[in-house]
Amino acid sequence: SKKAESKVPDKLIVGTNAEFPPFEYMNDKKQPEGFDIAMIKEIGKRMGKKVEIKNMEFKSLIGAMESDSINAIIAGMTKTEKREKAVDFSDSYYTTNQAIILKKDSKITKLAQLDGKKIGVQEGTTGDLISSGDKFGDGKKAKVLVKGAKVKRFKKGVDAVMDLKNGSVDAVVIDELTANEFVKKNAKKLKIVIDSAGSEYYCIALTKGNTAYKEEVNKQIKAIKEDGTYDKLKAKYIDS
Ligand code: GLN
Protein backbone atom coordinates (compact mmCIF):
# COMPACT_ATOMS: atom_id res chain seq x y z
CA SER A 1 0.00 0.00 0.00
CA LYS A 2 1.07 3.58 -0.65
CA LYS A 3 2.92 5.49 2.02
CA ALA A 4 0.94 8.39 3.46
CA GLU A 5 2.47 11.81 3.77
CA SER A 6 3.13 12.91 7.35
CA LYS A 7 1.29 16.21 7.14
CA VAL A 8 -1.78 17.70 8.81
CA PRO A 9 -4.46 17.96 6.09
CA ASP A 10 -5.89 21.37 5.14
CA LYS A 11 -9.36 20.25 6.07
CA LEU A 12 -10.78 17.48 8.27
CA ILE A 13 -13.05 15.38 6.05
CA VAL A 14 -14.82 13.25 8.61
CA GLY A 15 -16.89 10.14 8.04
CA THR A 16 -19.58 9.23 10.52
CA ASN A 17 -22.78 7.20 10.72
CA ALA A 18 -25.42 9.39 12.33
CA GLU A 19 -27.48 6.46 13.65
CA PHE A 20 -25.69 6.06 16.95
CA PRO A 21 -27.07 8.26 19.71
CA PRO A 22 -25.79 9.93 21.89
CA PHE A 23 -22.53 9.98 19.89
CA GLU A 24 -24.04 10.86 16.48
CA TYR A 25 -27.59 11.24 15.26
CA MET A 26 -29.55 13.47 12.91
CA ASN A 27 -30.99 16.52 14.67
CA ASP A 28 -34.28 18.27 13.88
CA LYS A 29 -32.53 20.25 11.15
CA LYS A 30 -31.36 16.96 9.56
CA GLN A 31 -27.75 17.70 10.50
CA PRO A 32 -25.42 15.25 12.29
CA GLU A 33 -25.13 16.12 15.98
CA GLY A 34 -23.91 14.43 19.17
CA PHE A 35 -20.88 14.01 21.41
CA ASP A 36 -18.58 12.80 18.61
CA ILE A 37 -19.63 15.57 16.24
CA ALA A 38 -19.02 18.19 18.94
CA MET A 39 -15.62 16.62 19.74
CA ILE A 40 -14.38 16.61 16.14
CA LYS A 41 -15.62 20.18 15.54
CA GLU A 42 -13.76 21.29 18.67
CA ILE A 43 -10.61 19.46 17.53
CA GLY A 44 -10.84 21.06 14.08
CA LYS A 45 -11.39 24.51 15.56
CA ARG A 46 -8.33 24.19 17.78
CA MET A 47 -6.26 23.00 14.81
CA GLY A 48 -7.47 25.98 12.76
CA LYS A 49 -8.99 23.64 10.17
CA LYS A 50 -12.43 23.41 8.58
CA VAL A 51 -14.43 20.29 9.40
CA GLU A 52 -16.68 18.65 6.82
CA ILE A 53 -18.91 15.80 8.00
CA LYS A 54 -19.86 13.01 5.59
CA ASN A 55 -22.65 10.72 6.75
CA MET A 56 -22.51 7.13 5.47
CA GLU A 57 -23.16 3.52 6.46
CA PHE A 58 -21.00 2.32 9.32
CA LYS A 59 -19.60 -0.58 7.32
CA SER A 60 -18.44 1.80 4.54
CA LEU A 61 -16.34 4.05 6.77
CA ILE A 62 -13.02 2.18 6.68
CA GLY A 63 -13.22 1.71 2.90
CA ALA A 64 -13.92 5.43 2.45
CA MET A 65 -10.75 6.15 4.40
CA GLU A 66 -8.71 3.66 2.36
CA SER A 67 -9.85 5.33 -0.87
CA ASP A 68 -9.00 8.78 0.62
CA SER A 69 -12.52 10.21 0.30
CA ILE A 70 -12.30 10.99 4.03
CA ASN A 71 -9.29 11.58 6.31
CA ALA A 72 -10.94 10.95 9.70
CA ILE A 73 -13.68 8.77 11.17
CA ILE A 74 -15.55 9.58 14.35
CA ALA A 75 -18.37 7.10 14.82
CA GLY A 76 -18.16 5.56 18.28
CA MET A 77 -15.60 3.39 16.55
CA THR A 78 -13.86 0.83 18.73
CA LYS A 79 -10.15 0.38 18.20
CA THR A 80 -9.62 -3.19 16.98
CA GLU A 81 -6.53 -4.99 15.70
CA LYS A 82 -8.23 -5.72 12.38
CA ARG A 83 -9.23 -2.09 11.73
CA GLU A 84 -5.74 -0.99 12.73
CA LYS A 85 -4.40 -2.68 9.60
CA ALA A 86 -6.25 -0.09 7.51
CA VAL A 87 -6.27 3.05 9.67
CA ASP A 88 -4.39 4.70 12.52
CA PHE A 89 -6.27 5.31 15.75
CA SER A 90 -5.99 8.40 17.95
CA ASP A 91 -5.79 8.10 21.71
CA SER A 92 -9.08 6.89 23.12
CA TYR A 93 -11.72 9.49 24.02
CA TYR A 94 -14.34 7.16 25.52
CA THR A 95 -14.47 3.69 27.12
CA THR A 96 -17.55 1.49 27.06
CA ASN A 97 -18.97 -2.06 26.93
CA GLN A 98 -21.27 -4.17 24.81
CA ALA A 99 -24.86 -4.47 25.96
CA ILE A 100 -27.49 -7.11 25.24
CA ILE A 101 -30.98 -5.73 24.63
CA LEU A 102 -33.70 -8.26 25.52
CA LYS A 103 -37.43 -8.52 26.01
CA LYS A 104 -38.36 -7.77 29.63
CA ASP A 105 -39.19 -11.43 30.41
CA SER A 106 -35.96 -12.93 28.98
CA LYS A 107 -33.84 -15.10 31.32
CA ILE A 108 -30.58 -14.37 29.45
CA THR A 109 -27.86 -12.78 31.59
CA LYS A 110 -24.66 -13.40 29.57
CA LEU A 111 -23.37 -13.29 26.00
CA ALA A 112 -22.56 -17.04 26.19
CA GLN A 113 -26.29 -17.73 26.62
CA LEU A 114 -26.87 -16.33 23.11
CA ASP A 115 -25.26 -19.45 21.55
CA GLY A 116 -27.56 -20.66 18.74
CA LYS A 117 -29.98 -17.76 19.20
CA LYS A 118 -31.17 -15.17 16.66
CA ILE A 119 -29.28 -11.91 17.20
CA GLY A 120 -29.89 -8.52 15.59
CA VAL A 121 -26.85 -6.28 15.08
CA GLN A 122 -25.69 -3.22 13.19
CA GLU A 123 -23.63 -4.44 10.25
CA GLY A 124 -19.86 -4.24 10.59
CA THR A 125 -19.81 -3.29 14.27
CA THR A 126 -18.10 -5.02 17.17
CA GLY A 127 -21.56 -6.29 18.17
CA ASP A 128 -21.72 -7.99 14.75
CA LEU A 129 -18.23 -9.52 15.17
CA ILE A 130 -18.99 -10.85 18.65
CA SER A 131 -22.37 -12.27 17.60
CA SER A 132 -20.87 -13.82 14.46
CA GLY A 133 -18.42 -15.88 16.51
CA ASP A 134 -15.29 -13.89 15.64
CA LYS A 135 -12.57 -13.69 18.23
CA PHE A 136 -12.95 -10.52 20.21
CA GLY A 137 -10.47 -8.64 22.41
CA ASP A 138 -6.78 -7.80 22.26
CA GLY A 139 -3.96 -10.18 21.46
CA LYS A 140 -3.85 -13.33 23.56
CA LYS A 141 -6.94 -12.29 25.49
CA ALA A 142 -9.07 -12.44 22.33
CA LYS A 143 -11.76 -15.12 22.47
CA VAL A 144 -15.00 -16.32 20.93
CA LEU A 145 -17.92 -15.18 23.09
CA VAL A 146 -20.98 -16.36 21.13
CA LYS A 147 -21.18 -19.59 19.11
CA GLY A 148 -23.54 -20.67 16.35
CA ALA A 149 -25.91 -17.73 16.52
CA LYS A 150 -28.04 -16.72 13.56
CA VAL A 151 -27.04 -13.11 12.96
CA LYS A 152 -29.41 -10.66 11.31
CA ARG A 153 -27.56 -7.55 10.11
CA PHE A 154 -29.16 -4.11 9.87
CA LYS A 155 -27.88 -0.79 8.56
CA LYS A 156 -29.36 0.91 11.63
CA GLY A 157 -29.26 -0.42 15.17
CA VAL A 158 -32.71 1.02 15.74
CA ASP A 159 -34.12 -1.40 13.12
CA ALA A 160 -32.59 -4.36 14.97
CA VAL A 161 -34.45 -3.15 18.07
CA MET A 162 -37.70 -3.09 16.05
CA ASP A 163 -37.13 -6.74 15.13
CA LEU A 164 -36.58 -7.59 18.78
CA LYS A 165 -39.91 -5.97 19.65
CA ASN A 166 -41.60 -7.99 16.87
CA GLY A 167 -39.98 -11.19 18.13
CA SER A 168 -38.00 -11.75 14.89
CA VAL A 169 -34.74 -11.84 16.88
CA ASP A 170 -34.07 -12.96 20.46
CA ALA A 171 -31.56 -10.24 21.33
CA VAL A 172 -29.69 -7.21 20.02
CA VAL A 173 -25.98 -6.82 20.77
CA ILE A 174 -24.87 -3.19 20.63
CA ASP A 175 -22.75 -0.67 22.56
CA GLU A 176 -24.04 0.26 26.00
CA LEU A 177 -24.87 3.95 25.66
CA THR A 178 -26.68 3.52 22.37
CA ALA A 179 -28.57 0.57 23.89
CA ASN A 180 -29.66 2.91 26.71
CA GLU A 181 -30.99 5.44 24.21
CA PHE A 182 -32.97 2.81 22.29
CA VAL A 183 -34.38 1.12 25.40
CA LYS A 184 -35.40 4.44 26.98
CA LYS A 185 -37.98 4.74 24.20
CA ASN A 186 -39.27 1.17 24.80
CA ALA A 187 -38.91 0.91 28.57
CA LYS A 188 -42.10 -1.12 29.07
CA LYS A 189 -41.05 -3.92 26.71
CA LEU A 190 -37.25 -4.06 26.73
CA LYS A 191 -34.33 -4.28 29.14
CA ILE A 192 -30.54 -4.21 29.02
CA VAL A 193 -28.00 -6.69 30.33
CA ILE A 194 -24.32 -5.79 30.43
CA ASP A 195 -21.91 -8.67 29.98
CA SER A 196 -18.53 -7.08 30.13
CA ALA A 197 -16.95 -8.81 27.16
CA GLY A 198 -14.03 -6.47 27.71
CA SER A 199 -13.83 -2.72 27.50
CA GLU A 200 -14.10 -1.05 24.13
CA TYR A 201 -12.08 2.07 23.44
CA TYR A 202 -13.61 4.65 21.10
CA CYS A 203 -10.93 6.35 19.03
CA ILE A 204 -10.81 8.66 16.03
CA ALA A 205 -9.58 6.77 12.97
CA LEU A 206 -7.08 8.71 10.86
CA THR A 207 -5.29 8.18 7.55
CA LYS A 208 -2.84 5.35 8.05
CA GLY A 209 0.80 6.36 8.38
CA ASN A 210 0.20 10.11 8.81
CA THR A 211 2.11 10.60 12.07
CA ALA A 212 2.04 14.41 12.12
CA TYR A 213 -1.75 14.36 11.81
CA LYS A 214 -2.21 11.76 14.55
CA GLU A 215 0.09 13.66 16.93
CA GLU A 216 -1.82 16.90 16.35
CA VAL A 217 -5.21 15.22 16.94
CA ASN A 218 -3.91 13.54 20.12
CA LYS A 219 -2.57 16.87 21.37
CA GLN A 220 -6.02 18.43 20.94
CA ILE A 221 -7.85 15.50 22.59
CA LYS A 222 -5.54 15.89 25.59
CA ALA A 223 -6.10 19.66 25.77
CA ILE A 224 -9.88 19.23 25.47
CA LYS A 225 -9.81 16.78 28.39
CA GLU A 226 -7.53 18.94 30.51
CA ASP A 227 -9.30 22.28 30.21
CA GLY A 228 -12.78 20.98 31.11
CA THR A 229 -14.27 21.13 27.61
CA TYR A 230 -14.55 17.34 27.52
CA ASP A 231 -16.62 17.29 30.72
CA LYS A 232 -18.88 20.03 29.36
CA LEU A 233 -19.56 18.09 26.17
CA LYS A 234 -20.08 14.90 28.17
CA ALA A 235 -22.60 16.66 30.41
CA LYS A 236 -24.42 18.05 27.38
CA TYR A 237 -24.65 14.93 25.24
CA ILE A 238 -24.03 11.87 27.43
CA ASP A 239 -25.04 12.52 31.03
CA SER A 240 -28.16 14.53 30.21
N1 GLN B 1 -18.30 0.58 18.78
C1 GLN B 1 -18.85 -0.25 17.79
C2 GLN B 1 -17.86 -0.50 16.69
O1 GLN B 1 -16.87 0.13 16.63
C3 GLN B 1 -20.16 0.31 17.23
C4 GLN B 1 -20.02 1.62 16.55
C5 GLN B 1 -21.26 2.10 15.81
O2 GLN B 1 -22.22 1.35 15.60
N2 GLN B 1 -21.28 3.33 15.41
O3 GLN B 1 -18.05 -1.35 15.87
Side-chain angles (χ1 to χ4, degrees):
S1 70
K2 62 184 164 30
K3 185 130 174 44
E5 230 188 324
S6 190
K7 179 177 173 288
V8 178
D10 296 333
K11 183 180 180 185
L12 272 57
I13 308 174
V14 184
T16 195
N17 171 248
E19 300 291 349
F20 199 66
F23 295 96
E24 44 270 328
Y25 49 89
M26 283 297 182
N27 66 18
D28 298 340
K29 290 174 192 133
K30 304 253 186 300
Q31 295 301 316
E33 193 179 336
F35 181 79
D36 283 355
I37 307 301
M39 272 295 281
I40 199 72
K41 284 185 176 165
E42 185 66 29
I43 290 167
K45 191 171 102 189
R46 289 175 190 228
M47 287 169 66
K49 305 289 180 188
K50 282 220 170 77
V51 175
E52 179 188 342
I53 308 284
K54 288 193 177 183
N55 190 30
M56 60 186 81
E57 287 177 16
F58 186 81
K59 66 158 192 196
S60 305
L61 287 165
I62 299 264
M65 178 94 102
E66 286 177 305
S67 66
D68 284 330
S69 60
I70 54 176
N71 57 31
I73 300 168
I74 193 158
M77 183 174 271
T78 304
K79 175 177 173 164
T80 69
E81 285 174 6
K82 193 172 165 215
R83 289 173 181 159
E84 235 171 357
K85 290 182 181 135
V87 304
D88 281 351
F89 281 109
S90 73
D91 292 340
S92 178
Y93 64 89
Y94 200 82
T95 306
T96 190
N97 291 294
Q98 286 298 307
I100 312 169
I101 309 180
L102 298 158
K103 286 262 185 71
K104 266 263 157 79
D105 58 1
S106 170
K107 302 270 184 310
I108 290 168
T109 58
K110 287 190 186 67
L111 281 166
Q113 292 167 347
L114 295 176
D115 288 358
K117 294 269 194 296
K118 278 183 263 170
I119 310 177
V121 298
Q122 190 185 7
E123 189 167 18
T125 60
T126 44
D128 183 358
L129 298 179
I130 290 169
S131 303
S132 304
D134 284 19
K135 273 198 178 164
F136 188 73
D138 285 329
K140 287 197 182 109
K141 277 192 264 170
K143 60 179 179 204
V144 172
L145 297 156
V146 178
K147 294 182 196 83
K150 206 164 172 292
V151 180
K152 210 171 159 190
R153 300 184 175 84
F154 297 85
K155 300 216 188 309
K156 305 178 185 189
V158 72
D159 291 340
V161 175
M162 281 291 254
D163 257 40
L164 174 62
K165 285 205 292 184
N166 299 336
S168 313
V169 296
D170 305 304
V172 172
V173 176
I174 197 162
D175 300 27
E176 181 173 1
L177 266 60
T178 305
N180 288 343
E181 293 290 323
F182 292 156
V183 169
K184 241 194 255 172
K185 299 195 176 90
N186 297 282
K188 285 200 186 96
K189 287 187 175 160
L190 304 179
K191 67 175 178 185
I192 293 177
V193 165
I194 306 296
D195 176 358
S196 209
S199 295
E200 295 198 22
Y201 301 97
Y202 289 173
C203 301
I204 301 168
L206 302 163
T207 313
K208 191 161 180 63
N210 191 338
T211 318
Y213 185 23
K214 186 168 89 176
E215 280 169 5
E216 180 63 25
V217 168
N218 281 340
K219 191 175 106 187
Q220 301 306 344
I221 293 174
K222 192 161 177 268
I224 287 168
K225 283 185 179 168
E226 282 173 0
D227 74 3
T229 306
Y230 182 92
D231 287 337
K232 268 188 212 148
L233 296 180
K234 191 164 170 283
K236 178 168 179 190
Y237 291 105
I238 299 179
D239 303 329
S240 58

